[in-house]
Amino acid sequence: MRILVVCGAGASSTFVAQRLRRAAALAGLDWEASAGLESTASGSDHDLILVGPHLGDRLDAIRESASAPVAVLPEDVFSDLDGSRTLVLARAILAVGETPKGTS
C-alpha cells in the first residue's frame, strides 16, 4: 500500500507520513507513506492521497489530477503524534475505495 501525504511545502506532510508509516508498521501493515506537494499527486501511482487541511480548498483540483482516492486530513492531524488516528482514517477510506462521507 502506497500513501502520499500532500501539503503546501512538504514539511508538515513529512511528519504526518512518518507517523502514519510508524503506526502502520506497529499494526503489522507493510505500508509506504511519503510526503509531497500538490503537484506530486498528478500522475502518481499511490493507492491513497491524503491532503493537509490547509489545502482543503484545492481538493477538487487534486482529485481531478489523481488516479487514487483523495481525502482531506482533519484539522487536528498534527496533534496525532503516534499516527494512529491517521491510520484509522486511511484504512476507512481504503476499505470503501472512495472518500467516506464527512471527510470532504
Side-chain angles (χ1 to χ4, degrees):
M1 185 63 51
R2 297 191 52 194
I3 299 172
L4 176 64
V5 182
V6 175
C7 74
S12 58
S13 59
T14 297
F15 293 116
V16 174
Q18 288 173 340
R19 294 169 183 168
L20 176 57
R21 205 170 32 247
R22 191 174 320 124
L26 287 172
L29 301 170
D30 185 24
W31 284 16
E32 295 178 29
S34 58
L37 306 174
E38 178 181 344
S39 60
T40 312
S42 179
S44 78
D45 62 348
H46 292 87
D47 302 299
L48 174 62
I49 299 171
L50 299 175
V51 178
H54 53 288
L55 291 179
D57 63 333
R58 301 287 308 142
L59 184 62
D60 289 338
I62 296 170
R63 279 189 176 141
E64 286 179 18
S65 69
S67 59
V70 179
V72 174
L73 291 162
E75 290 288 333
D76 66 347
V77 69
F78 305 110
S79 65
D80 181 21
L81 300 180
D82 65 359
S84 61
R85 287 182 291 138
T86 306
L87 178 61
V88 168
L89 174 64
R91 291 180 96 168
I93 295 165
L94 292 166
V96 296
E98 58 187 51
T99 306
K101 302 295 183 226
T103 61
S104 300

